Amino acid sequence: MRRQAVRLIGLVAAAALAAGCAAEQKATGGGSGAVAGVTDTTIRVGGILTKTSASGYSTKDAEIGARARFQRANEAGGVHGRKIEFVGAEDDNQDAAKGDAAAKKLVQKDRVFALVPVHAPNFGGATFLEQQGVPWFGWATGPQWCGTKTGFGYNGCLAPQPGAGSQTWWGNQMAELIGGSAGKSVYIQTTDSSGSKYGGKTISQSFQAAGFKLAGFNSGLPAAAPPPDWLPYVNKIMTSNGGKAPDLVVSIIAGTKFNTGLYSALKKAGYKGLLSDATSYDAAILKDPATAQALEGVIAAPMFEPFESDAPQIAQLKADVEKTAPGTALTQHVAIGYWAADIFLKVLEQTGKDLTREKFLAAANGSFTYENPGFGRIQYPKNHTEPNGCGALVRLEGGAFKVAKNMKCFDNVPLK
């Protein structure tokens, strides 16, 4: 009798252990037939950002933006009854190998369903994620985003192949701002990184398509750190337009230190033309008087509606961020994380309650269209191979950012 009782206790313990393992597998998306990162009530996601880097460039604020958008979705009941379980973002240190390792950790160890946000200029996990069929959403700053079925840039593919659509919005917005491009020249300065050089190529065409004359294109600036002497670069710029300075200088450089150095040197040399880039729309700039002075008058080109806009969608973004992280300074990285998360949620909504990665990707790549005044428009699969063609302009004046041109979308043209 005693022996039977012991055996019964053992059987009960084994059953309990098996049930516990099954429950754990269900919670983590493991087990036969389970969907990684998905339970009846949650969807697990995580991101990869360049939080720290040797150059000082950081996209860490994108985590706040994504978290804010996910929090609002969760408070509204989630998507089809499932709430977003956000495990946070890994730091790739702007190192491709670390980005690849971070992607593998999130997928294989943390068992995430998707990566949101991915905002890293030198992201190295693209090949792994494509092979595994894992969706990833963020800022498509390099060619690794383009031509995939799993990588979803919130603004499309910014490094299209020759013959594919290439953006014209930056050149057209600038032309409208200054009253026309007739007789106006532009000089493009990039670093020697592949992403910067390719970006310079597409931006050059954007301005040429809008009617500007290309005075020069220089991609010899080292990407690792600002040069000790800006004079060689400044001399090229100041004589690029038939021996004189161009009307506009566009900097395709990731980092305030680079742009501060370049613009200060240009102004010291007597440059009176316009200055524009994609990264100088940053509230942190205003905290340092020297940096703010160096960037005074610069026209930044964010690919989202500016925070100074009175659009209801921007008021909602501000409220969401303040609720999630009170006192957070609004940066372009906050916006990028927020809008990447917003698009991910929209795809989840359209996929339906029966959620698998395969069904999610089928919904996203099956003529998916989403328009929002916050970032313009996005269309997949079209925007896997070309940008969404939308952007705004912001000018730094008197120590404050002001909307120069609200968000607007333009038709792309084939990249030459």
Side-chain angles (χ1 to χ4, degrees):
M1 191 75 175
R2 178 181 175 86
R3 193 173 294 172
Q4 288 179 335
V6 171
R7 183 183 179 193
L8 180 61
I9 292 171
L11 289 173
V12 171
L17 179 61
C21 290
E24 182 179 0
Q25 284 183 331
K26 186 176 182 182
T28 60
S32 176
V35 180
V38 178
T39 71
D40 290 341
T41 58
T42 62
I43 302 169
R44 181 179 297 168
V45 300
I48 297 178
L49 307 175
T50 296
K51 294 184 176 181
T52 58
S53 67
S55 67
Y57 180 70
S58 173
T59 67
K60 62 183 178 60
D61 293 347
E63 183 169 352
I64 297 173
R67 195 179 294 278
R69 184 63 186 90
F70 288 147
Q71 180 174 322
R72 176 157 66 91
N74 288 344
E75 290 175 351
V79 182
H80 298 298
R82 294 186 178 98
K83 294 187 177 182
I84 304 300
E85 180 189 349
F86 184 53
V87 301
E90 301 289 320
D91 183 5
D92 80 340
N93 301 124
Q94 207 167 358
D95 181 296
K98 291 183 179 179
D100 182 51
K104 290 174 180 175
K105 173 185 178 294
L106 286 168
V107 173
Q108 296 172 341
K109 181 179 178 181
D110 297 332
R111 304 285 292 169
V112 299
F113 173 78
L115 271 63
V116 190
V118 175
H119 185 9
N122 198 29
F123 181 55
T127 299
F128 169 76
L129 295 174
E130 184 77 358
Q131 290 172 343
Q132 298 298 311
V134 178
W136 40 300
F137 288 71
W139 194 12
T141 51
Q144 66 269 35
W145 286 84
C146 304
T148 74
K149 294 181 179 179
T150 59
F152 299 88
Y154 91 94
N155 48 7
C157 158
L158 300 187
Q161 293 296 310
S166 185
Q167 65 97 345
T168 66
W169 73 263
W170 195 342
N172 277 305
Q173 285 278 59
M174 189 67 73
E176 290 185 6
L177 178 66
I178 65 176
S181 58
K184 304 295 184 182
S185 59
V186 60
Y187 185 96
I188 310 294
Q189 178 68 61
T190 83
T191 67
D192 60 5
S193 73
S194 58
S196 183
K197 287 190 286 188
Y198 206 100
K201 179 180 179 181
T202 61
I203 300 307
S204 296
Q205 180 162 306
S206 176
F207 280 89
Q208 289 175 294
F212 287 85
K213 168 193 170 185
L214 183 62
F217 183 109
N218 185 297
S219 57
L221 183 64
D229 183 8
W230 283 100
L231 191 58
Y233 304 95
V234 170
N235 286 341
K236 285 184 179 180
I237 294 172
M238 295 297 287
T239 58
S240 62
N241 186 26
K244 60 181 181 179
D247 299 290
L248 169 66
V249 174
V250 176
S251 170
I252 313 300
I253 302 170
T256 300
K257 291 181 180 179
F258 281 89
N259 287 327
T260 299
L262 176 60
Y263 300 156
S264 296
L266 279 169
K267 291 177 180 179
K268 186 176 180 179
Y271 181 71
K272 303 297 183 184
L274 297 172
L275 299 168
S276 186
D277 63 54
T279 60
S280 289
Y281 183 37
D282 185 347
I285 288 169
L286 307 180
K287 297 179 181 179
D288 179 48
T291 301
Q293 180 58 42
L295 300 179
E296 175 71 15
V298 171
I299 302 168
M303 286 175 258
F304 55 86
E305 180 69 354
F307 302 122
E308 292 74 22
S309 167
D310 58 5
Q313 292 79 7
I314 302 308
Q316 181 71 69
L317 179 154
K318 290 179 178 178
D320 291 346
V321 172
E322 182 61 24
K323 186 172 185 178
T324 300
T328 295
L330 295 173
T331 67
Q332 70 166 342
H333 306 303
V334 168
I336 290 163
Y338 184 93
W339 293 122
D342 184 70
I343 296 171
F344 170 70
L345 292 169
K346 192 70 173 180
V347 178
L348 278 178
E349 178 186 315
Q350 293 197 15
T351 303
K353 187 170 180 62
D354 186 11
L355 179 63
T356 66
R357 284 178 180 152
E358 291 78 10
K359 291 179 179 180
F360 179 93
L361 291 172
N365 292 321
S367 300
F368 175 85
T369 299
Y370 178 31
E371 294 189 16
N372 187 311
F375 63 87
R377 66 187 177 203
I378 196 71
Q379 297 172 283
Y380 304 120
K382 177 182 179 180
N383 293 138
H384 281 309
T385 57
E386 62 182 81
N388 68 346
C390 311
L393 297 178
V394 179
R395 191 196 302 264
L396 180 58
E397 294 181 4
F401 291 114
K402 299 180 181 180
V403 179
K405 293 288 292 183
N406 289 101
M407 170 65 63
K408 190 173 180 180
C409 299
F410 294 83
D411 291 336
N412 294 333
V413 296
L415 181 64
K416 298 176 181 178

